[in-house]
Amino acid sequence: MTRVGIINVTGYAGSELARILHNHPDVDLVSVTGRSAAGKQLSEVYPHLREASMTITPEIEESVDLVFSALPHAASAEVLKSFIDDGVPAVDISADFRLKDLPTYESWYKVDHPCPNYIETAVYGVPELHRSEIKQTKLVANPGCFPTGTVLALAPAVQAGIVESHVISDCKSGVSGAGRSAKLEYGFSELNDNFSAYALSGHRHEPEMSQELSALSSDGDVNVTFVPHLAPMTRGILGTHYAKLSKDVSQADVDAIYRDFYADEPFAHVVPTPPSTKQTWGSNDCLIYATIKEDAGTLVAVSALDNLGKGAASAGVQNMNVMLGFEETAGLEALPVYP
Amino acid sequence: MTRVGIINVTGYAGSELARILHNHPDVDLVSVTGRSAAGKQLSEVYPHLREASMTITPEIEESVDLVFSALPHAASAEVLKSFIDDGVPAVDISADFRLKDLPTYESWYKVDHPCPNYIETAVYGVPELHRSEIKQTKLVANPGCFPTGTVLALAPAVQAGIVESHVISDCKSGVSGAGRSAKLEYGFSELNDNFSAYALSGHRHEPEMSQELSALSSDGDVNVTFVPHLAPMTRGILGTHYAKLSKDVSQADVDAIYRDFYADEPFAHVVPTPPSTKQTWGSNDCLIYATIKEDAGTLVAVSALDNLGKGAASAGVQNMNVMLGFEETAGLEALPVYP
Amino acid sequence: MTRVGIINVTGYAGSELARILHNHPDVDLVSVTGRSAAGKQLSEVYPHLREASMTITPEIEESVDLVFSALPHAASAEVLKSFIDDGVPAVDISADFRLKDLPTYESWYKVDHPCPNYIETAVYGVPELHRSEIKQTKLVANPGCFPTGTVLALAPAVQAGIVESHVISDCKSGVSGAGRSAKLEYGFSELNDNFSAYALSGHRHEPEMSQELSALSSDGDVNVTFVPHLAPMTRGILGTHYAKLSKDVSQADVDAIYRDFYADEPFAHVVPTPPSTKQTWGSNDCLIYATIKEDAGTLVAVSALDNLGKGAASAGVQNMNVMLGFEETAGLEALPVYP
Amino acid sequence: MTRVGIINVTGYAGSELARILHNHPDVDLVSVTGRSAAGKQLSEVYPHLREASMTITPEIEESVDLVFSALPHAASAEVLKSFIDDGVPAVDISADFRLKDLPTYESWYKVDHPCPNYIETAVYGVPELHRSEIKQTKLVANPGCFPTGTVLALAPAVQAGIVESHVISDCKSGVSGAGRSAKLEYGFSELNDNFSAYALSGHRHEPEMSQELSALSSDGDVNVTFVPHLAPMTRGILGTHYAKLSKDVSQADVDAIYRDFYADEPFAHVVPTPPSTKQTWGSNDCLIYATIKEDAGTLVAVSALDNLGKGAASAGVQNMNVMLGFEETAGLEALPVYP
């Protein structure tokens, strides 16, 4: 069994990793860390993890064969550095190694990068786009929750060259995307039965979207207008994406482009009816639906995923599976929980 | 006191009309109708209306000075016809008199219009755009819940000629917009903690949006790509609207255009921070926020309203107030209920 | 117009007071206070109060004819002291003047009472029980949200002497009852789609319940086993109360006892079917339903109210109306908002 | 692999069975039935079951080694009859074989029992109480969702003889307990942010509770006053149970009684802090917490479970595991999904 650790297990992404890894057939979760919760049992912080409980320590205490970091950006690279130096494979849930352009990273995150030299070796963790590179790297930058859905929704169209280079990403997220934090603005009474747009002046996930879609485009950079929204639900991201068609394509053409692009994918599914977020609850699925508005010459592509699943933790497990040569679906077989 | 009746009080728009009219200083609610509930007390169907209770009858039983119809389309025009013939002022909450172009109505609603001759005299009930016409008509077509927010969000920009003629309206609605209906798809277990897009092949509110925005444009028709979404909340519509800028305008220009457009409006408010739907709960407010994405040359305009308030019932009361020469805010003074 | 102030307008009870008082026909809200928000506009903290906005100050800045305090316990009595000394009528939303027994207060709240000499003059603010005393006092102790529903549900039975002296109060509250606080445990992701009991070792509202029910009993003290629960909703308390019947009474007897007890009450209503919390949303109503389980010789009495309405702010306004001789329903006419 | 079928897969309990059985290591799901959905793919009705999809047929089409029925009562016994006659082991999710007393069944369910001769051979499917009998039967009556939590919460105390024979069960259920039905009363807009008690004149789960608790009592029958409530959440039942202590026991005594009773149970857990329903989401766990209110001489016992899990489908799988001699936890290892 492969020995695995989770740095910062106490956030929602960290706890979701612990939940999934507990039943993974190829790994043993041997060490979990947390700062304020150090010394506590995992089940004290998360009673649902009773069966997976272990002592939370300040640092990874066992030697591990792979490490996940669910720390915030900057803190994550700082802690991962020594693991990477030691050749321990790492999956970084944070944003630290996602952006290939250092100035872009530093201007959006307003920090100096703790180990910029590793940016180049990191692979952006969307197996649907970078599977072969993930197999060969020791450092995967797990993508942001919003970019995962946006990139998967638009990648087939951008690669096929059927849309113009300005796209709109209107994403609606459940509140768990904001993390496990004691902030008034994420209080139940503030958010229940309420809906709003935020980050209208720009969101850090925008450059990730542009980077990945631009890399697929043969027509130059893709500019993304991204507006995230907060929906009164716990999990789930629904992204609705709009792009002007640059070619005269039919719905049948679009269907074929999308179907072919994801033909062999275990988790990215082109679906026959508009998906809803709850169809992915607790799973690693990303559901994609693309349609043409003919009168407007516009592609509308919708994606649905669980922000803590394919948007964070289970995507990390999928990346680990690819890196370590496990069955790609190992530990990720549980079907979504509905209703 | 003006004597008022509500046709089909048993839906959510009808019951909301009854709630508001109960405390209106200038009117008496004298007759309410309902089919399946005929013979019941209003408080049996809606216990919260205990204080406003009266017997539900199959037809309007008292002579009335103004009538609201909250019937579905086609049925509404059919029943309103005799009131209009008799010169009784009417506010139609249904879609029957919204679209000025008969073939457009008949192709979207797939019915023959019961009284097409009244289409021309009907005024589209957005007082912010058509106040003077509403004052002079006896038939107001209350707008759809989605068009209200979309038209108010984009009207200043379209009239000012600063955006191109293709706009995107990405709207998120609470479930009460689907009406009071016993359908599995609107069941709590199906929708709670769930989010989806619908009507991707086209929604009946799209031609309303185009009609009203085109009328404001000096550059020809405005084409609207409209995608509605269902959010796990009871009330509220948040609309996020995207339009390419056609002129080189600054944020300050946009601020001035919006501020001036709604300067004297009692219910349409340009707000300094992105609004949330719950800020309008139970009220007639529509909150509007417009910003420029400079790198993409795109205007993003957000609007928030209560779909049963400014999106239906309270908008109907505002229209009545304008028609009958009451204070425009009469009966609509209660502040939104939050949290 | 009577000049009124609100101390600590920034919590949910305070903001709800501001919302209601804004449309009260007999009062002007002239001063509102808040600590961390001092200097801000009320509309910055609560955008839904745009129409009622005014500057939040650290202290009451205008001379007032009546003051509401929505401060936490101890802090409230401390600040109210000078108003009471000056003869300014006060409605205290906090717990400071509810309990007539000083040691009980000090043991449950674990503080020294800042002005114990005023406890005796304070009247417990349930007009349905203490209307004549409220008319004659200058200090009303607004009851706790849970005790209001429990006392109103059981008062008729206790006064009629038909139940034994041990009663069970199983209450389910919306999250706004926890106040406007930045605590992880009240976060949306923690509470949504979740339900739990709390305070199983005892809750501060228990002695209030016992005090008020005991005062109605001719058989000695009433012991209350009170278990509060947190429900995934914003507003509302549903209380289910169980008491062994001590006499052989029929359902018809119970119906008569309850109907007579609340016969002339404007806000406490005995209803013909089990009430739901949302039937009281935003209003001052308390709905009561009592039934007998014959095989168990047990009375089950259910009450529903809005914890921020009859459970806090609107109850305070009702108390003010009684104190100052206004129409008891003044400012409280708006019907509940549903759905 | 054991071949298993599900009769009426289209309800929530049926679909949850399909979800769990898809990953069960010892069984193959070979046939699923449904009436109105016959001919459809399972994934058309439940998109989240894409990976488990198969054609829904009107009758079980393959020979099966065990059958689950998730039909409504009466219909279930009718269809199961031939399987039982043929010696096929069956788990009946319906109420048909739960009550040992035929007149009790017929008076509560108001039907003639389709095959009363099998009542005696059926075992009430709470493995924590009837494991050895379940091992030896071919017909398990899966318990009702409410009785599971109530019986597990009170069984230790009743068996230990520390409580009087009248107990109160105040249960709060998520809406999925009402099934997958197109009824207005279960609509999102009706139930969201709303809370109510129902079935105040009696609920069919009451006699199950009495039957099972009475069987554990050495002091005669246990009378249960049961009041169910509908909470605005999808899954979960929290039961709060009250019983007068009949002996002078300490909290330590109670702790020991409960700890010992469930010492070796894989799914019934005595927990150190009051549980919340979401800690069991999607799992077969039942969490139990018991405490004494000393001043009232009352035991308060709280239980939390997932009504579709331990309250229905996963309990059925646990029962199958026991019947067929599989590992009792087989297929039930997935941890609860939180948040």
Side-chain angles (χ1 to χ4, degrees):
Chain A
M1 297 287 273
T2 297
R3 298 163 57 83
V4 169
I6 301 170
I7 301 169
N8 198 29
V9 74
T10 55
Y12 290 143
S15 66
E16 189 73 348
L17 278 168
R19 180 179 76 85
I20 296 166
L21 294 173
H22 176 65
N23 285 320
H24 194 291
D26 304 312
V27 312
D28 271 342
L29 181 59
V30 296
S31 184
V32 298
T33 82
R35 271 168 215 191
S36 57
K40 288 190 181 171
Q41 285 293 304
L42 185 48
S43 62
E44 289 177 79
V45 182
Y46 287 110
H48 75 294
L49 297 179
R50 181 185 315 99
E51 300 294 318
S53 200
M54 55 197 300
T55 305
I56 299 169
T57 54
E59 311 288 338
I60 293 289
E61 292 226 323
E62 307 279 333
S63 78
V64 293
D65 303 319
L66 180 140
V67 69
F68 289 94
S69 168
L71 283 169
H73 65 90
S76 190
E78 195 117 26
V79 172
L80 279 181
K81 192 171 176 306
S82 67
F83 290 89
I84 307 172
D85 287 343
D86 293 350
V88 177
V91 177
D92 183 12
I93 307 292
S94 91
D96 283 340
F97 298 103
R98 294 175 192 161
L99 296 173
K100 293 302 174 189
D101 185 59
L102 183 61
T104 301
Y105 172 86
E106 297 191 341
S107 83
W108 278 93
Y109 289 88
K110 302 191 195 322
V111 288
D112 292 334
H113 197 291
C115 43
N117 50 315
Y118 283 124
I119 290 178
E120 206 176 341
T121 52
V123 177
Y124 192 78
V126 175
E128 292 78 5
L129 300 180
H130 301 292
R131 186 171 282 112
S132 61
E133 300 154 78
I134 295 170
K135 282 183 184 165
Q136 289 164 5
T137 189
K138 291 201 159 180
L139 176 56
V140 167
N142 217 52
C145 52
F146 289 121
T148 298
T150 292
V151 168
L152 291 177
L154 290 172
V158 170
Q159 191 184 64
I162 62 170
V163 290
E164 295 186 359
S165 65
H166 173 227
V167 299
I168 288 169
S169 169
D170 187 293
C171 289
K172 302 85 176 173
S173 176
V175 182
S176 64
R180 188 166 171 268
S181 64
K183 289 190 185 160
L184 175 61
E185 63 196 287
Y186 302 125
F188 184 90
S189 300
E190 298 292 317
L191 291 180
N192 187 39
D193 246 323
N194 204 352
F195 196 96
S196 59
Y198 67 99
L200 279 156
S201 58
H203 186 285
R204 287 165 170 175
H205 285 178
E206 198 174 298
E208 278 182 56
M209 296 173 178
S210 293
Q211 168 184 292
E212 293 300 309
L213 291 175
S214 296
L216 291 167
S217 166
S218 50
D219 300 329
D221 282 0
V222 175
N223 180 305
V224 183
T225 293
F226 168 50
V227 178
H229 300 75
L230 207 49
M233 59 188 188
T234 304
R235 288 172 177 242
I237 291 177
L238 192 101
T240 314
H241 306 87
Y242 304 87
K244 281 273 180 192
L245 290 169
S246 57
K247 285 196 184 144
D248 186 17
V249 289
S250 69
Q251 183 65 46
D253 296 333
V254 168
D255 289 347
I257 288 168
Y258 274 76
R259 207 171 42 230
D260 292 352
F261 197 95
Y262 292 118
D264 301 319
E265 288 300 330
F267 297 111
H269 303 288
V270 180
V271 292
T273 49
S276 77
T277 55
K278 203 157 185 188
Q279 293 167 4
T280 69
W281 194 274
S283 82
N284 194 45
D285 290 335
C286 180
L287 309 179
I288 298 154
Y289 179 88
T291 191
I292 284 178
K293 291 276 190 181
E294 283 189 20
D295 59 333
T298 296
L299 175 80
V300 180
V302 177
S303 58
L305 53 77
D306 182 334
N307 57 299
L308 296 178
K310 183 64 170 168
S314 62
V317 175
Q318 183 184 4
N319 280 320
M320 175 192 74
N321 288 346
V322 175
M323 284 173 93
L324 301 187
F326 300 148
E327 187 73 30
E328 191 162 334
T329 56
L332 302 171
E333 299 90 349
L335 301 180
V337 178
Y338 180 94
Chain B
M1 298 287 273
T2 297
R3 298 163 57 84
V4 169
I6 301 170
I7 301 169
N8 198 28
V9 75
T10 56
Y12 289 143
S15 66
E16 189 73 348
L17 278 169
R19 181 180 75 86
I20 296 167
L21 294 173
H22 176 67
N23 285 320
H24 194 292
D26 302 313
V27 312
D28 270 342
L29 180 59
V30 296
S31 184
V32 297
T33 83
R35 270 168 216 191
S36 56
K40 287 191 181 170
Q41 284 292 303
L42 185 49
S43 62
E44 289 177 80
V45 182
Y46 286 111
H48 74 294
L49 297 179
R50 181 185 315 99
E51 300 294 318
S53 199
M54 55 197 300
T55 305
I56 299 169
T57 54
E59 311 288 338
I60 292 289
E61 292 227 322
E62 307 279 333
S63 77
V64 292
D65 303 319
L66 180 141
V67 69
F68 289 94
S69 168
L71 284 168
H73 66 89
S76 191
E78 196 116 26
V79 171
L80 280 181
K81 190 171 177 305
S82 67
F83 290 90
I84 307 172
D85 287 343
D86 293 350
V88 178
V91 176
D92 183 12
I93 307 293
S94 91
D96 283 340
F97 298 102
R98 295 176 192 159
L99 296 173
K100 292 302 173 190
D101 185 60
L102 183 62
T104 301
Y105 172 86
E106 295 191 341
S107 83
W108 278 94
Y109 289 89
K110 302 192 195 320
V111 289
D112 291 333
H113 198 293
C115 44
N117 51 315
Y118 283 123
I119 290 179
E120 206 176 343
T121 51
V123 177
Y124 191 79
V126 175
E128 292 79 5
L129 301 181
H130 302 292
R131 186 170 283 111
S132 61
E133 300 154 79
I134 295 170
K135 282 183 185 166
Q136 289 164 5
T137 189
K138 290 201 160 180
L139 176 56
V140 166
N142 217 51
C145 53
F146 289 120
T148 298
T150 292
V151 167
L152 291 177
L154 290 171
V158 169
Q159 190 183 66
I162 62 171
V163 290
E164 295 186 358
S165 65
H166 174 227
V167 299
I168 289 169
S169 167
D170 186 293
C171 289
K172 302 85 176 173
S173 175
V175 182
S176 63
R180 188 166 171 269
S181 63
K183 290 192 185 160
L184 175 60
E185 64 196 286
Y186 301 125
F188 184 90
S189 300
E190 298 291 316
L191 291 181
N192 187 38
D193 247 322
N194 203 352
F195 197 97
S196 59
Y198 66 99
L200 279 156
S201 58
H203 186 285
R204 287 164 171 176
H205 285 178
E206 199 174 296
E208 277 182 58
M209 296 172 179
S210 293
Q211 167 183 293
E212 293 300 308
L213 291 174
S214 296
L216 291 167
S217 166
S218 50
D219 300 328
D221 282 357
V222 176
N223 180 304
V224 183
T225 293
F226 167 50
V227 178
H229 299 76
L230 205 49
M233 58 188 188
T234 304
R235 288 173 177 241
I237 291 176
L238 192 100
T240 314
H241 306 88
Y242 305 87
K244 282 273 182 192
L245 290 168
S246 57
K247 286 194 184 145
D248 186 18
V249 289
S250 68
Q251 182 65 46
D253 296 333
V254 168
D255 290 348
I257 289 168
Y258 274 75
R259 206 172 42 230
D260 292 353
F261 196 94
Y262 293 118
D264 301 320
E265 288 300 330
F267 297 111
H269 303 289
V270 179
V271 291
T273 51
S276 76
T277 55
K278 203 157 185 187
Q279 292 166 4
T280 68
W281 194 274
S283 83
N284 194 45
D285 290 336
C286 179
L287 309 179
I288 298 154
Y289 179 87
T291 191
I292 285 178
K293 291 277 189 182
E294 282 190 19
D295 58 334
T298 297
L299 175 81
V300 180
V302 177
S303 59
L305 52 76
D306 182 333
N307 57 299
L308 296 179
K310 183 64 171 168
S314 63
V317 175
Q318 183 185 3
N319 281 320
M320 174 191 75
N321 288 345
V322 175
M323 284 172 94
L324 302 188
F326 300 147
E327 187 72 30
E328 190 162 334
T329 57
L332 302 171
E333 300 89 350
L335 300 180
V337 178
Y338 180 95
Chain C
M1 298 287 273
T2 297
R3 296 164 57 85
V4 169
I6 301 169
I7 301 168
N8 198 28
V9 74
T10 56
Y12 290 144
S15 65
E16 189 73 348
L17 278 168
R19 180 180 75 84
I20 297 167
L21 294 172
H22 176 66
N23 286 320
H24 194 292
D26 303 311
V27 311
D28 271 341
L29 180 59
V30 297
S31 184
V32 298
T33 83
R35 269 167 217 192
S36 56
K40 287 190 181 171
Q41 284 293 303
L42 185 49
S43 62
E44 289 177 79
V45 182
Y46 287 111
H48 73 294
L49 297 179
R50 180 185 315 100
E51 300 294 318
S53 199
M54 54 196 301
T55 304
I56 299 170
T57 54
E59 312 288 338
I60 292 288
E61 293 225 324
E62 307 278 333
S63 77
V64 293
D65 303 319
L66 180 142
V67 70
F68 290 93
S69 167
L71 282 169
H73 65 90
S76 190
E78 195 116 28
V79 171
L80 281 180
K81 192 173 177 303
S82 67
F83 290 90
I84 308 172
D85 287 343
D86 293 351
V88 178
V91 176
D92 183 12
I93 308 292
S94 92
D96 283 339
F97 298 102
R98 294 175 192 161
L99 296 173
K100 293 301 175 190
D101 186 59
L102 183 61
T104 301
Y105 172 86
E106 296 190 341
S107 84
W108 278 94
Y109 289 89
K110 300 190 195 325
V111 289
D112 292 334
H113 197 292
C115 43
N117 51 314
Y118 284 122
I119 290 178
E120 206 175 342
T121 51
V123 177
Y124 191 79
V126 175
E128 292 78 6
L129 300 180
H130 301 292
R131 187 170 281 111
S132 61
E133 300 154 79
I134 295 170
K135 282 182 184 166
Q136 289 163 6
T137 189
K138 290 201 160 179
L139 176 56
V140 167
N142 217 53
C145 52
F146 289 120
T148 298
T150 292
V151 168
L152 291 177
L154 290 171
V158 169
Q159 190 183 67
I162 62 171
V163 290
E164 294 187 359
S165 65
H166 174 227
V167 299
I168 289 168
S169 169
D170 186 294
C171 289
K172 302 85 176 170
S173 176
V175 182
S176 64
R180 188 164 172 269
S181 63
K183 290 190 184 160
L184 175 60
E185 63 195 288
Y186 301 126
F188 184 91
S189 299
E190 298 291 317
L191 291 180
N192 187 38
D193 247 321
N194 204 352
F195 196 96
S196 60
Y198 67 98
L200 279 156
S201 58
H203 185 285
R204 288 165 169 173
H205 286 177
E206 200 175 297
E208 277 181 59
M209 296 172 178
S210 293
Q211 166 183 294
E212 292 300 309
L213 293 174
S214 296
L216 292 167
S217 166
S218 50
D219 301 329
D221 282 358
V222 176
N223 180 306
V224 184
T225 293
F226 168 49
V227 179
H229 299 75
L230 207 47
M233 58 189 189
T234 304
R235 289 173 177 240
I237 291 177
L238 192 101
T240 314
H241 306 88
Y242 305 87
K244 281 272 181 195
L245 291 168
S246 57
K247 286 196 183 142
D248 186 18
V249 289
S250 67
Q251 182 66 45
D253 296 333
V254 169
D255 290 348
I257 288 168
Y258 274 77
R259 207 172 41 229
D260 292 354
F261 197 95
Y262 293 118
D264 301 320
E265 288 301 330
F267 297 111
H269 303 288
V270 180
V271 292
T273 50
S276 77
T277 55
K278 202 155 186 189
Q279 293 166 5
T280 68
W281 194 273
S283 83
N284 193 46
D285 290 336
C286 180
L287 310 179
I288 298 155
Y289 179 88
T291 190
I292 285 178
K293 291 276 190 181
E294 283 189 19
D295 59 334
T298 297
L299 176 81
V300 180
V302 177
S303 59
L305 53 76
D306 182 333
N307 57 299
L308 296 179
K310 183 65 171 169
S314 63
V317 175
Q318 183 185 3
N319 281 320
M320 174 191 75
N321 288 345
V322 175
M323 284 172 94
L324 302 188
F326 301 147
E327 187 71 31
E328 191 163 333
T329 56
L332 302 171
E333 300 90 349
L335 301 179
V337 178
Y338 181 94
Chain D
M1 298 288 274
T2 296
R3 297 162 58 82
V4 169
I6 301 169
I7 301 168
N8 198 28
V9 74
T10 55
Y12 290 143
S15 66
E16 189 73 347
L17 279 168
R19 181 179 75 84
I20 296 167
L21 294 173
H22 176 66
N23 286 319
H24 194 291
D26 303 313
V27 311
D28 270 342
L29 180 59
V30 296
S31 185
V32 297
T33 82
R35 269 167 217 192
S36 57
K40 287 190 182 172
Q41 284 293 301
L42 185 48
S43 62
E44 288 177 80
V45 182
Y46 287 111
H48 74 294
L49 297 179
R50 180 185 314 99
E51 300 293 319
S53 199
M54 54 197 300
T55 305
I56 299 169
T57 54
E59 312 288 338
I60 292 288
E61 293 226 323
E62 307 278 334
S63 77
V64 293
D65 303 318
L66 181 141
V67 69
F68 289 93
S69 167
L71 284 168
H73 66 88
S76 190
E78 195 117 26
V79 171
L80 280 181
K81 192 171 177 306
S82 67
F83 290 90
I84 308 172
D85 287 344
D86 293 350
V88 177
V91 177
D92 183 13
I93 306 292
S94 92
D96 283 340
F97 298 103
R98 294 176 193 161
L99 296 173
K100 292 301 174 190
D101 185 60
L102 183 61
T104 302
Y105 172 87
E106 297 191 340
S107 83
W108 279 94
Y109 289 90
K110 302 192 194 322
V111 288
D112 292 332
H113 198 290
C115 45
N117 51 315
Y118 283 123
I119 290 178
E120 205 175 343
T121 51
V123 177
Y124 192 79
V126 175
E128 292 78 5
L129 301 181
H130 302 291
R131 185 171 284 111
S132 61
E133 300 153 79
I134 295 170
K135 281 183 184 165
Q136 289 163 6
T137 190
K138 290 201 160 179
L139 176 56
V140 167
N142 217 53
C145 53
F146 289 120
T148 298
T150 292
V151 168
L152 292 177
L154 290 171
V158 169
Q159 190 183 66
I162 61 171
V163 290
E164 294 186 0
S165 65
H166 174 227
V167 299
I168 289 169
S169 168
D170 186 294
C171 290
K172 301 84 176 171
S173 176
V175 181
S176 63
R180 187 164 172 270
S181 63
K183 289 190 183 160
L184 175 61
E185 63 196 286
Y186 301 125
F188 184 91
S189 299
E190 298 291 316
L191 291 180
N192 187 38
D193 246 323
N194 204 351
F195 196 96
S196 59
Y198 67 98
L200 278 156
S201 58
H203 186 285
R204 287 165 170 175
H205 286 178
E206 199 174 297
E208 277 182 59
M209 297 173 179
S210 293
Q211 167 183 292
E212 293 300 310
L213 292 175
S214 296
L216 291 167
S217 166
S218 51
D219 299 329
D221 283 358
V222 176
N223 179 306
V224 183
T225 294
F226 167 50
V227 179
H229 299 76
L230 206 49
M233 59 190 187
T234 304
R235 289 173 176 241
I237 291 176
L238 192 102
T240 313
H241 306 88
Y242 305 86
K244 281 273 181 193
L245 290 168
S246 58
K247 286 196 183 141
D248 186 18
V249 289
S250 68
Q251 182 65 46
D253 295 333
V254 169
D255 290 347
I257 288 168
Y258 274 76
R259 206 172 42 229
D260 292 354
F261 196 94
Y262 293 118
D264 301 319
E265 288 300 331
F267 297 112
H269 303 289
V270 180
V271 292
T273 50
S276 78
T277 55
K278 202 155 186 189
Q279 292 166 5
T280 68
W281 194 273
S283 82
N284 194 45
D285 290 335
C286 179
L287 309 179
I288 298 154
Y289 179 87
T291 192
I292 285 177
K293 291 276 189 181
E294 284 189 20
D295 59 333
T298 297
L299 175 80
V300 180
V302 177
S303 58
L305 53 76
D306 181 334
N307 58 299
L308 297 178
K310 184 64 170 167
S314 63
V317 175
Q318 184 185 3
N319 280 321
M320 175 192 74
N321 288 345
V322 175
M323 284 173 93
L324 302 188
F326 300 147
E327 187 72 31
E328 191 163 332
T329 56
L332 302 171
E333 300 91 348
L335 301 179
V337 178
Y338 180 94

